[in-house]
Amino acid sequence: DAPRSSPMRRAQRRAPWEFLLGAGPTLAFGIAPRMAVEGRAFGGVRHGRLGLELGVEASLPSQHETEDGDGFEQQVLVGSLAGCTFFGGLSGCLVSKVGRLSVRGFGVDVPNSDFGAVWQLGPRLALIEGFGEHWFGALRVEALASLVTWEVTLNQVDVWKTPLFSFSVGGDLGLLLQ
């Protein structure tokens, strides 16, 4: 028997390193004039209550049309980095996303620019439930602040500007490896 305070006893209580792989859909509000549908894939590492996640997210084209029939279609492609802490079935993360917002106008003669930078920062909360030996599911919400703003102008008229805040809700299915 080892004494309760021995280093060997403390090492046995430490959680092992865990590796996560997953993917899931997202409904995003504020990155386009109307709700955008996104998908994400991610990988991460977790040790005890702390974790780090890297991901990539992409939206389907979202279209906006004016009364004159002019409009634009936009898509977002970003990489994400999140530092997380875990408390049972709940996680809280600080998320940063950096990427590209692509815009394609229709009903316009010559577009000035067809892409711009996206940089967002904010919290994510998730409810996580494990099932089977290595699988987990998660429901998540994010509230992100845009650190870069973007305007879409059609025929010298501003038709949309990225708001300061965006909100998203989604779900993930993942694999947990030890």
Side-chain angles (χ1 to χ4, degrees):
D1 277 335
R4 288 180 193 241
S5 62
S6 77
M8 196 164 171
R9 183 104 168 144
R10 284 192 302 266
Q12 290 173 348
R13 286 188 301 214
R14 282 192 198 133
W17 287 92
E18 298 174 314
F19 300 93
L20 304 99
L21 295 172
T26 303
L27 298 177
F29 306 89
I31 65 162
R34 55 178 63 156
M35 180 188 68
V37 177
E38 298 180 330
R40 80 182 203 116
F42 63 92
V45 62
R46 183 165 80 177
H47 183 69
R49 291 185 184 259
L50 300 177
L52 184 66
E53 176 191 294
L54 290 172
V56 62
E57 302 178 25
S59 71
L60 294 174
S62 177
Q63 197 172 63
H64 175 77
E65 190 171 330
T66 67
E67 294 173 4
D68 299 336
D70 302 335
F72 65 95
E73 182 177 86
Q74 93 179 38
Q75 285 183 280
V76 175
L77 176 63
V78 295
S80 64
L81 173 65
C84 302
T85 185
F86 298 88
F87 299 98
L90 180 66
S91 76
C93 304
L94 179 60
V95 180
S96 179
K97 296 181 182 182
V98 177
R100 180 179 170 142
L101 171 72
S102 300
V103 176
R104 185 183 60 83
F106 51 88
V108 295
D109 293 330
V110 180
N112 288 337
S113 176
D114 60 355
F115 67 91
V118 173
W119 186 14
Q120 298 176 309
L121 182 67
R124 174 195 305 149
L125 292 175
L127 293 173
I128 304 167
E129 182 65 38
F131 57 93
E133 191 172 332
H134 297 286
W135 294 95
F136 68 91
L139 295 175
R140 62 185 151 69
V141 295
E142 293 178 348
L144 303 175
S146 293
L147 303 175
V148 176
T149 59
W150 228 75
E151 281 185 14
V152 176
T153 304
L154 296 174
N155 302 322
Q156 288 77 40
V157 176
D158 293 341
V159 292
W160 187 73
K161 182 178 179 178
T162 54
L164 178 58
F165 295 103
S166 65
F167 174 78
S168 65
V169 60
D172 295 318
L173 178 62
L175 180 62
L176 182 65
L177 306 167
Q178 295 181 349

